Amino acid sequence: MKIDLMRLLLPFIRPTPIRGPGLQRAVARALVATAASLVWITAPAGGLEAAAKPLSADAQLERVIANVGRGALTNAIGEIDRLIEQFPNFRLAHLVRGDLLLARVQPIAALGNSAYAARERLDELRAEARLRVRAGREVPPANQVPRYLLQLDATQTSAIVIDAGRSRIYVYAIENGTPRLVRDFYSTIGKLGIGKERESDRKTPIGVYQVTSWLPGNRLPDLYGKGAFPIDYPNARDRLLGRTGYGIWIHGVPSDTYARAPLASDGCVALANPDLEALAAYVRPGATPVLIARQVEWVAPSVLRAERETFLAALDAWRRDWESNDVERYLAHYAKEFRTSDKDIEGWKAHKRRVSAGKSWIKVALDKLSVLRDPGAKELISVSFDQDYRSSNLSQRTRKRQYWAREGTRWKIVYEAPAQAPVLALPESYPAGARAEVSTAKHN
């Protein structure tokens, strides 16, 4: 069962009162703006009831709208009542119920015909509805994957890809090196949008991050719902670019709320509490990557494999040239704009030449390799690995972070340093009186 969302959405986009025999059809068209993306876009064989998993709140809302489309207004009201009984704080569902009841006695113009609701709140619900409908129409292309997931290490069995411009979270499982979409969720982002640059700008960052820990909801203020997954903003690249701010979390919503408006946080990403609990099944703190994009770029798996092979060849050439102890050949892999924590390219070259002069042999092995394109910059790759370094006078194992960028036709290193251990930071929105309590929360 496929649904032509755009055709049904027209009265919602252009709210003109409808009268006459087409009333029920117009109700369906107006209410379809509340339909969220389903876990499936085409119903499984045997109908929605044949699905292996219980229907989500969004899927139940879709059934309401399907009943309206068939002219079964009484059935639709019964469905919406059951939905509200299960999720009593789903405000969008309450808005739909009000429209269904109103449609029995008078024409409706569009979603949200209450004369008593605050205009600002209605606008927020309409914005949420638009994004949910858009996600249903603009599903990830068949047989395509996000361009960012070049290679994950063995501990990274899934990845979170956030399309911030669409307020959508996609969860990918990694199977034989190829990402497979397993879930997607509506989400809230910063009040002033995306592209965080400074503290208190109320924006959600763009880039490559990692879930660092899990904070259970029973140790957090109600604002964060069932819990929170902090991420490591600002990362090394953010700090190099002078970006400030702290405490970016993926978290739930207050207990009296099913979902927040699309632009409602101080920079965090917020999900409905049932969705956060579903997301948690795929998250491994300390391993799961989080890629936040303005708009996800999709490619065929064959393109992803080709780009992976090209980059891995460049990475291995760097490793082999380091092992050769030919310092000039090794340094040719570093870009003119290279930076490390305390050196520019000239300082780095001088340091490496001094070190190399004291070596008679070098061996380098890379393990737990993660290679991710950065959604926030053109032709930039974030690389993390365990580096096992052995030489004639030193042996050490280090977790390392690099950024590689195109310089002409070659991939070159623009940043390199040992990876820093994450530090838990509370969001700017965190209530002052509750700050001491989070220190006892479970971080793992």
Side-chain angles (χ1 to χ4, degrees), residues 111-403:
L111 176 68
N113 289 267
S114 172
Y116 304 102
R119 174 64 182 270
E120 181 180 359
R121 185 58 184 138
L122 279 176
D123 287 346
E124 289 176 346
L125 289 170
R126 288 168 178 152
E128 177 186 342
R130 289 189 189 99
L131 284 168
R132 289 180 182 273
V133 168
R134 184 181 180 188
R137 283 193 76 241
E138 300 175 5
V139 297
N143 302 318
Q144 293 195 15
V145 295
R147 192 183 183 194
Y148 320 116
L149 305 177
L150 292 174
Q151 177 167 314
L152 275 67
D153 75 49
T155 68
Q156 296 173 312
T157 55
S158 62
I160 297 171
V161 178
I162 300 176
D163 192 322
R166 290 187 170 92
S167 287
R168 205 74 192 170
I169 294 177
Y170 300 103
V171 182
Y172 280 85
I174 310 302
E175 298 177 351
N176 299 318
T178 300
R180 179 179 65 84
L181 180 64
V182 291
R183 294 297 299 268
D184 67 299
F185 308 100
Y186 164 81
S187 67
T188 293
I189 62 168
K191 292 182 179 75
L192 297 182
I194 48 186
K196 187 171 186 63
E197 294 289 338
R198 65 185 187 277
E199 183 178 336
S200 301
D201 65 6
R202 295 185 169 184
K203 292 184 178 181
T204 298
I206 301 294
V208 176
Y209 301 99
Q210 187 179 75
V211 172
T212 62
S213 58
W214 162 246
L215 307 177
N218 61 4
R219 294 297 185 91
L220 297 173
D222 188 55
L223 175 65
Y224 304 100
K226 292 292 187 179
F229 290 108
I231 65 174
D232 60 344
Y233 175 89
N235 62 21
R237 174 170 167 78
D238 294 320
R239 292 191 294 270
L240 281 173
L241 295 175
R243 293 171 180 159
T244 60
Y246 53 87
I248 301 298
W249 293 359
I250 300 172
H251 61 74
V253 297
S255 56
D256 66 350
T257 304
Y258 180 76
R260 293 171 68 180
L263 304 176
S265 79
D266 284 337
C268 292
V269 176
L271 296 81
N273 288 317
D275 290 346
L276 182 74
E277 292 177 311
L279 176 68
Y282 303 96
V283 176
R284 181 177 175 181
T288 302
V290 178
L291 296 100
I292 310 177
R294 290 182 181 275
Q295 181 175 331
V296 174
E297 183 177 359
W298 310 95
V299 296
S302 59
V303 172
L304 193 71
R305 287 193 293 270
E307 293 187 348
R308 176 194 305 142
E309 291 170 5
T310 298
F311 178 78
L312 291 181
L315 180 67
D316 193 54
W318 165 78
R319 183 195 61 80
R320 287 185 285 104
D321 286 345
W322 193 2
E323 283 189 332
S324 76
N325 206 20
D326 183 332
V327 69
E328 299 308 318
R329 213 166 75 196
Y330 162 75
L331 289 172
H333 293 277
Y334 290 83
K336 296 175 183 177
E337 302 302 319
F338 173 81
R339 293 285 308 178
T340 187
S341 53
D342 59 352
K343 296 178 180 66
D344 62 10
I345 185 59
E346 294 306 321
W348 182 256
K349 286 180 176 179
H351 167 68
K352 285 299 183 179
R353 285 169 181 146
R354 286 194 301 270
V355 170
S356 180
K359 308 287 185 185
S360 60
W361 58 269
I362 297 172
K363 293 293 182 184
V364 181
L366 309 183
D367 190 23
K368 293 180 66 177
L369 176 63
S370 176
V371 182
L372 301 166
R373 273 191 179 269
D374 194 315
K378 186 177 181 181
E379 299 296 323
L380 182 73
I381 291 179
S382 173
V383 186
S384 299
F385 50 82
D386 286 349
Q387 176 182 287
D388 188 0
Y389 174 89
R390 301 177 187 276
S391 71
S392 54
N393 58 7
L394 177 67
S395 294
Q396 62 181 193
R397 190 173 181 89
T398 309
R399 184 67 181 171
K400 186 168 280 188
R401 166 67 57 83
Q402 293 179 331
Y403 291 102

Side-chain angles (χ1 to χ4, degrees), residues 77-98:
I77 292 173
E79 291 277 6
I80 202 71
D81 285 345
R82 285 189 288 274
L83 175 57
I84 290 171
E85 182 179 2
Q86 184 178 356
F87 298 103
N89 54 6
F90 195 177
R91 293 171 185 170
L92 204 53
H94 283 279
L95 193 66
V96 171
R97 186 179 188 276

Side-chain angles (χ1 to χ4, degrees), residues 28-92:
R29 291 176 178 173
L31 295 183
V32 78
T34 66
S37 275
L38 307 185
V39 173
W40 54 83
I41 300 303
T42 302
L48 295 177
E49 292 77 10
K53 297 179 180 179
L55 289 178
S56 67
D58 292 340
Q60 292 180 61
L61 191 55
E62 178 67 25
R63 283 166 52 130
V64 172
I65 294 163
N67 272 312
V68 175
R70 290 193 293 269
L73 204 59
T74 300
N75 289 347
I77 292 173
E79 291 277 6
I80 202 71
D81 285 345
R82 285 189 288 274
L83 175 57
I84 290 171
E85 182 179 2
Q86 184 178 356
F87 298 103
N89 54 6
F90 195 177
R91 293 171 185 170
L92 204 53

